[in-house]
Amino acid sequence: MSEIPEFHNLVGGDRVPARSGRTFESVNPADRADVVGVFPRSGAEDVSDAVAAACRALPGWRRTPQPARADVIRRAAQLLRDRKEELARLMTREMGKVLVEARGDVQEAVDMADYMAGEGRRPSGETVPSELTDKVCFTWREPIGVVGLITPWNFPIAIPSWKLFPALVAGNAIVLKPAEDTPLCAARLVETLIDAGLPPGVVNVVHGIGEEAGAALVDHPDVRAISFTGSGEVGRLVAERCGQQLKRVSLELGGKNALVVLDDADLELAVDGAVWAAFGTTGQRCTAASRMIVHERVLGDFTELLRSRAERLRVGDGLREDVEVGPIINERQLRRVHSYTEVGVDEGARLVTGGAVLEQGDLANGHFYAPTIFADVLPGMRIAQEEIFGPTVSVIAAGSLDEALAHANSTAYGLSLAVYTRDVGRAFRAMRELQAGIVYVNAPTIGAEIQLPFGGIKSTGNGHREAGTTALEQFSEWKTVYVDYSGRLQRAQIDT
Ligand code: NAD
């Protein structure tokens, strides 16, 4: 067997191991015997080193003209294009999503880099009229300082890119703590920035476990903002710690997204959307649809079509071009997904298909789960309320548009909801009434484009948005400037 490569943290431009010398492994979820690499299991002292490096790099990067900062990002975009296939293959190996989706994940980073490079030359403030004569008022954006980025494994290149590129164009210095399941994808993404000419220390990478390296980053007093994407459970902890320090925090958390399929919908189109939204990325997307809320008149046909499509999906190693559904990320998550099948059965839902760990033949060495459908699900059941983060979907009946919308809105989450209808009035009612940051009409719950705001309401986050120009809000402060050239004291609200 070939030797397992060892990787390091990136601190101030240097590759360094954890001070403790401790390590952890990144393992291929389709084949447990395939260890992708060994990474530093960093602690608070390693985080401190990285934050100190970022503090040193900050003044120079902050003073670099914004178009010049954008030039680095533009060059990184080109490198990502050049390396797209290599990165996609690495991603499939490291976290399992099928190759065609892994290419899409890298493309999202290319798109984000192109977009944020463009922001380098766009105006970032306003000139506003003054109520007094010979007085000029304007605003500009300033970087926050050193920001900490904490990212999940399910979009291991796209999500770090959603944070890195806007944070960089805005002039911040960064410490990134990527997910422990996908450290190499994040390291390779950052390498494109280094190869594009980013000065040392502007982006630092500290690998490690969430409760150790992640928590130390959140707690570090010199880190002025945290941008976190991950589970609601951890997001709450992170928000509490940031709240104690009055530290800015943006949270992108879980979802329990739904497709509403009305009785006038194009049923084939709705089933195409349902298969993609429920089983794409093995259901491991924050925007995956795990609930199908279907009008009673088409419920039988819809469920049958969905079942037959789900049973034909090819499950396996995503590096094989004919595979449609890859593995679950790790053993712990596989067990969790299966435990929800038991919950569904205990709650009285009807298991239509799936519900089993797949271990036969080639699947024996990985974490595979059969695409799973429950019917006769009531909206209040746990399988219809809690994020499972796997290929498990609940079909819920609704007797009317109002009932369908109420079911769709009945969870704690509010990320992405979709409606299938051919009636323009019902479509607009749904657009207005659905409680989510993102709504789709006649398209599934996944398919966000990077030039629009991305994020959710209710327990999916704390009001911030990624992507679009809204991403810059997370990573900059507004400064308001008043210039009085009248040569005398003018009092606002009084001398008007
Ligand atoms: P997770 O919350 O377990 O981990 C996310 C990151 O937080 C990892 O880097 C982890 O190491 C770190 N972390 C863990 N404990 C920490 C702590 N105590 N302090 C600081 N950092 C800590 O999530 P995951 O399993 O990696 O990702 C799946 C979750 O992410 C799902 O809930 C999914 O819906 C969500 N997600 C949301 C979006 C979105 O944009 N809304 C996008 C993708 C994923």
Side-chain angles (χ1 to χ4, degrees):
M1 240 179 84
S2 58
E3 207 173 304
I4 299 166
E6 184 161 350
F7 299 91
H8 291 128
N9 290 334
L10 179 68
V11 176
D14 296 325
R15 317 263 165 194
V16 293
R19 281 183 186 242
S20 66
R22 296 171 80 198
T23 58
F24 68 96
E25 290 182 345
S26 170
V27 178
N28 180 346
D31 176 4
R32 281 181 284 262
D34 177 25
V35 179
V36 176
V38 173
F39 293 83
R41 183 167 169 172
S42 310
E45 63 282 17
D46 305 298
V47 169
S48 277
D49 292 346
V51 173
C55 288
R56 286 193 298 276
L58 179 66
W61 185 243
R62 194 179 191 280
R63 279 199 303 273
T64 303
Q66 190 158 316
R69 297 201 294 254
D71 282 343
V72 175
I73 298 172
R74 189 173 296 104
R75 289 195 292 274
Q78 189 52 47
L79 293 172
L80 283 168
R81 270 192 195 86
D82 298 345
R83 299 174 190 176
K84 182 170 170 178
E85 189 59 23
E86 175 197 331
L87 290 171
R89 286 184 175 277
L90 163 66
M91 187 183 304
T92 300
R93 183 174 165 224
E94 193 168 42
M95 59 71 70
K97 72 169 68 171
V98 299
L99 205 45
V100 64
E101 292 183 27
R103 291 182 187 120
D105 192 305
V106 181
Q107 186 58 43
E108 213 165 298
V110 171
D111 295 345
M112 185 57 84
D114 281 343
Y115 184 81
M116 285 300 158
E119 283 306 302
R121 286 184 187 269
R122 279 198 196 98
S124 65
E126 286 186 314
T127 309
V128 182
S130 169
E131 62 189 43
L132 295 163
T133 52
D134 296 337
K135 189 174 171 191
V136 174
C137 319
F138 60 89
T139 60
W140 68 43
R141 283 181 194 279
E142 292 193 347
I144 295 176
V146 173
V147 299
L149 313 181
I150 301 178
T151 52
W153 50 267
N154 66 332
F155 280 82
I157 289 191
I159 290 180
S161 84
W162 284 24
K163 299 183 189 300
L164 282 166
F165 297 140
L168 284 173
V169 80
N172 300 283
I174 293 164
V175 178
L176 167 66
K177 205 304 277 173
E180 46 270 50
D181 283 306
T182 51
L184 192 53
C185 283
R188 293 286 187 243
L189 170 66
V190 170
E191 252 168 49
T192 65
L193 281 161
I194 305 304
D195 295 348
L198 189 76
V202 176
V203 174
N204 305 275
V205 183
V206 180
H207 296 289
I209 310 303
E211 295 80 355
E212 299 165 4
L217 185 58
V218 170
D219 287 345
H220 199 293
D222 292 338
V223 174
R224 293 307 317 142
I226 292 288
S227 178
F228 174 87
T229 300
S231 61
E233 196 187 349
V234 177
R236 278 191 170 80
L237 279 177
V238 169
E240 272 173 32
R241 311 275 277 248
C242 288
Q244 284 297 325
Q245 302 169 70
L246 299 178
K247 186 176 287 194
R248 186 189 292 214
V249 59
S250 75
L251 304 171
E252 294 293 340
L253 311 175
K256 191 70 188 176
N257 313 294
L259 256 60
V260 170
V261 182
L262 297 177
D263 51 348
D264 65 345
D266 176 337
L267 218 54
E268 295 280 343
L269 182 69
V271 171
D272 279 347
V275 171
W276 174 226
F279 305 122
T281 327
T282 322
Q284 302 171 110
R285 284 187 183 228
C286 54
T287 52
S290 52
R291 296 180 298 151
M292 304 293 152
I293 299 165
V294 185
H295 196 285
E296 283 160 4
R297 274 198 280 270
V298 292
L299 184 65
D301 289 349
F302 177 90
T303 309
E304 181 48 28
L305 282 167
L306 187 61
R307 181 196 63 75
S308 76
R309 291 280 299 275
E311 287 178 355
R312 275 185 279 139
L313 289 169
R314 280 180 299 272
V315 179
D317 184 342
L319 281 170
R320 284 179 39 190
E321 295 275 359
D322 63 330
V323 162
E324 294 161 293
V325 178
I328 301 275
I329 186 69
N330 55 38
E331 176 81 38
R332 185 169 43 88
Q333 188 57 19
L334 182 71
R335 279 202 303 271
R336 189 179 133 86
V337 169
H338 189 58
S339 76
Y340 272 101
T341 295
E342 287 158 6
V343 167
V345 169
D346 288 349
E347 286 180 309
R350 176 165 59 89
L351 184 61
V352 174
T353 188
V357 175
L358 301 177
E359 294 171 308
Q360 65 279 28
D362 289 353
L363 307 184
N365 291 330
H367 314 295
F368 294 98
Y369 204 73
T372 299
I373 302 172
F374 275 106
D376 303 341
V377 178
L378 300 176
M381 288 180 177
R382 283 184 59 202
I383 53 168
Q385 289 288 325
E386 297 173 17
E387 187 183 49
I388 299 172
F389 225 56
T392 303
V393 64
S394 293
V395 183
I396 300 167
S400 65
L401 171 64
D402 283 338
E403 198 186 356
L405 297 179
H407 289 346
N409 292 338
S410 69
T411 75
Y413 298 106
L415 183 53
S416 185
L417 293 170
V419 63
Y420 281 78
T421 178
R422 284 187 269 215
D423 179 317
V424 71
R426 294 168 122 194
F428 270 91
R429 284 258 336 267
M431 283 179 232
R432 197 186 58 215
E433 301 299 333
L434 287 172
Q435 295 168 3
I438 306 168
V439 169
Y440 291 89
V441 178
N442 293 329
T445 51
I446 57 186
E449 300 181 31
I450 62 90
Q451 65 277 20
L452 286 96
F454 180 96
I457 63 172
K458 295 158 73 179
S459 302
T460 291
N462 63 345
H464 289 267
R465 290 291 180 272
E466 299 209 279
T469 49
T470 37
L472 297 171
E473 297 294 338
Q474 260 188 61
F475 294 112
S476 54
E477 300 277 11
W478 282 109
K479 183 169 275 179
T480 304
V481 182
Y482 297 97
V483 182
D484 190 324
Y485 60 97
S486 67
R488 60 186 190 281
L489 172 68
Q490 300 197 88
R491 295 171 300 174
Q493 295 89 40
I494 295 171
D495 298 330
T496 53

